[in-house]
Amino acid sequence: MTFKKISGWLHLWLGLIAGLIVMIIALTGAIYTFQPELTKATQPYLSVKAENRPFLPASAFKAIAEKQLPGKKPIRIMLRGKDESVNVMFFERKQHPYYYNVYINPYSGKVLAVKNMYRDFFHVTLLGHLYLWLPQPIGHVVNIYGTLTFLVIIISGIVLWWPRNKARRKTSFKVKWDASPKRLNYDLHNVLGFYASWIILFAVLTGLVWGFEWAAKAEYSLLSGGKSKPVFPKTKVLPVAQPVKDPLDKITAIAQAQNPGAKRVMLMLPATDSAAVGVRIYNDEQLNYTTDLAYFNPYTLEEIKVPHWGKYSEATIADKAVRMNYDIHVGAIAGWPGRILMFLASLITASLPVTGFYIWWGKRKKDKKKSKGAAKKAGSVQVAYATPKAGVKA
């Protein structure tokens, strides 16, 4: 078998096996591309009227939110812009899973909404994208191996598309819109699939880095000159005899004073008495990779330096690549044009299993007709040979 025939065989059968998985991942990814804008436009409790006074302290938001969900522990507090509500997040994955967001007016402390995120449209969409709406351990495995399979489908598809001569090249880059339905379907699969492949390839590769530890280690080793991917160290702290009062409020004040241009500040609350308080400083409205990270001892307010997980400006090339993974995945790395291109590429990708199936089904029917025709012809020939001519004795 030639390389092109092998590619055709892989493209066909892997496409039939993983087609539904690819369709779900691509369609949910397309929907989620503009999640921040659509969420803000459809959920009024995310916005408030800006006032000329400071926000309430972070400890107040924590206390207000805890009253709304007794017995549940907050893990994050997101402080946004002057005209946006504060978001306190509650999340538990193990024994009794839950995920709630409490939205609070940052000036008055009024609770604007308590939302069960497991019923949120975009969160449900994200669960489909990550786990195909299956139980997480099963869905994760199906997803990552489906993504790996799709990488082979993309490569084999480019090999099959590659024109053999100049005449073929003229028709390989454009869709013949006035063609027959069969030819149009063929062009939609081949031509649009070719263009989408070069964009969706970035989403596939970044998805593999998230899904497989070996892929993440390989990426870091390649970009760091052979160094091992760092493991996040445990920021363990010990209580002191005279701890500072209101540490959460003071840590927030320190972080905001150090980063006056921050667009958002996320406080990562300690899960235990020996854990540090983490702070994420978002320096851009759209991008995540420029985020600065800081960790503080809640008893002394001392900042704990954590290698590889500090300021973006101090990160190595390999560390920056790790941070860029999400923004590359959704196309945000290239701003609005990148997000639009990733959205369109995802929609096209979602259509490829459908158009590909119709191509296969059409060829299958054609092959059956050929087989029947050949069998019928062979039968006619046998009858002709078996039937004696007039005047001739059998």
Side-chain angles (χ1 to χ4, degrees):
M1 293 178 73
T2 65
F3 182 61
K4 204 149 192 172
K5 283 184 178 180
I6 294 171
S7 297
W9 186 87
L10 288 171
H11 194 77
L12 169 62
W13 292 108
L14 293 181
L16 290 172
I17 292 168
L20 182 60
I21 297 170
V22 171
M23 190 186 302
I24 293 172
I25 294 174
L27 190 57
T28 51
I31 294 170
Y32 203 78
T33 303
F34 297 105
Q35 175 268 331
E37 291 77 18
L38 292 172
T39 299
K40 195 168 184 179
T42 57
Q43 299 179 4
Y45 44 82
L46 295 179
S47 302
V48 298
K49 185 179 179 180
E51 299 184 26
N52 191 23
R53 56 171 171 156
F55 285 4
L56 295 175
S59 58
F61 298 130
K62 181 174 178 288
I64 292 167
E66 285 174 332
K67 287 182 181 179
Q68 304 301 311
L69 298 165
K72 294 179 172 59
K73 191 172 182 178
I75 63 165
R76 304 278 190 273
I77 299 176
M78 178 70 86
L79 306 172
R80 304 176 187 270
K82 291 184 177 180
D83 59 349
E84 297 177 282
S85 60
V86 167
N87 178 16
V88 182
M89 290 166 263
F90 295 74
F91 182 76
E92 172 60 50
R93 180 178 288 170
K94 296 180 180 178
Q95 294 182 345
H96 302 286
Y98 59 79
Y99 181 15
Y100 287 92
N101 280 353
V102 179
Y103 298 95
I104 303 171
N105 185 304
Y107 305 102
S108 66
K110 180 183 178 182
V111 175
L112 304 175
V114 178
K115 187 165 188 177
N116 183 349
M117 295 303 292
Y118 284 136
R119 297 177 183 174
D120 176 75
F121 171 77
F122 286 108
H123 185 70
V124 172
T125 301
L126 183 61
L127 291 177
H129 188 71
L130 296 175
Y131 312 120
L132 308 167
W133 299 296
L134 297 170
Q136 185 177 336
I138 299 171
H140 175 71
V141 172
V142 175
N143 184 304
I144 60 175
Y145 281 100
T147 304
L148 184 60
T149 302
F150 186 48
L151 177 62
V152 179
I153 294 171
I154 290 174
I155 296 169
S156 59
I158 293 172
V159 171
L160 292 173
W161 171 92
W162 205 264
R164 296 178 182 177
N165 49 52
K166 288 183 179 180
R168 179 74 182 273
R169 204 173 297 150
K170 290 180 180 179
T171 60
S172 296
F173 290 97
K174 58 184 179 180
V175 176
K176 192 176 181 181
W177 296 104
D178 58 348
S180 66
K182 186 177 179 181
R183 172 57 191 271
L184 179 60
N185 181 75
Y186 182 84
D187 280 359
L188 290 175
H189 186 83
N190 280 15
V191 180
L192 295 187
F194 169 75
Y195 288 122
S197 293
W198 300 104
I199 300 168
I200 211 69
L201 190 61
F202 290 100
V204 171
L205 292 174
T206 50
L208 292 177
V209 169
W210 274 329
F212 290 104
E213 186 62 25
W214 58 262
K217 288 179 178 179
E219 177 198 39
Y220 196 90
S221 178
L222 180 66
L223 296 173
S224 65
K227 293 180 180 179
S228 299
K229 183 175 178 285
V231 178
F232 186 81
K234 293 182 179 179
T235 52
K236 191 173 182 180
V237 298
L238 297 174
V240 296
Q242 294 182 327
V244 296
K245 294 181 179 179
D246 303 319
L248 205 57
D249 302 338
K250 290 174 181 174
I251 289 170
T252 305
I254 292 169
Q256 289 176 329
Q258 290 177 349
N259 304 273
K263 305 300 181 183
R264 289 172 287 157
V265 175
M266 177 188 280
L267 302 173
M268 298 176 283
L269 308 183
T272 64
D273 292 338
S274 60
V277 175
V279 182
R280 285 181 178 266
I281 307 295
Y282 293 86
N283 297 308
D284 193 282
E285 289 285 359
Q286 301 291 337
L287 300 173
N288 287 281
Y289 76 88
T290 58
T291 299
D292 291 329
L293 305 171
Y295 301 88
F296 294 89
N297 184 326
Y299 301 106
T300 64
L301 304 185
E302 176 189 3
E303 185 172 353
I304 304 168
K305 295 294 181 180
V306 179
H308 306 284
W309 283 271
K311 290 184 177 294
Y312 172 76
S313 59
E314 299 172 357
T316 64
I317 292 175
D319 294 332
K320 287 179 178 179
V322 172
R323 297 186 185 206
M324 288 179 181
N325 210 63
Y326 176 80
D327 291 310
I328 294 172
H329 191 75
V330 300
I333 195 79
W336 272 96
R339 292 174 69 194
I340 292 170
L341 284 174
M342 189 61 75
F343 169 75
L344 294 174
S346 298
L347 284 183
I348 292 170
T349 300
S351 74
L352 295 179
V354 179
T355 54
F357 177 82
Y358 276 114
I359 292 171
W360 170 73
W361 190 255
K363 285 183 178 179
R364 190 168 175 268
K365 287 175 70 177
K366 188 177 179 181
D367 291 341
K368 278 187 175 181
K369 283 183 180 179
K370 280 185 178 180
S371 298
K372 285 182 179 179
K376 190 174 181 181
K377 189 176 180 181
S380 300
V381 170
Q382 287 177 3
V383 169
Y385 276 112
T387 305
K389 293 182 180 179
V392 179
K393 292 183 180 180

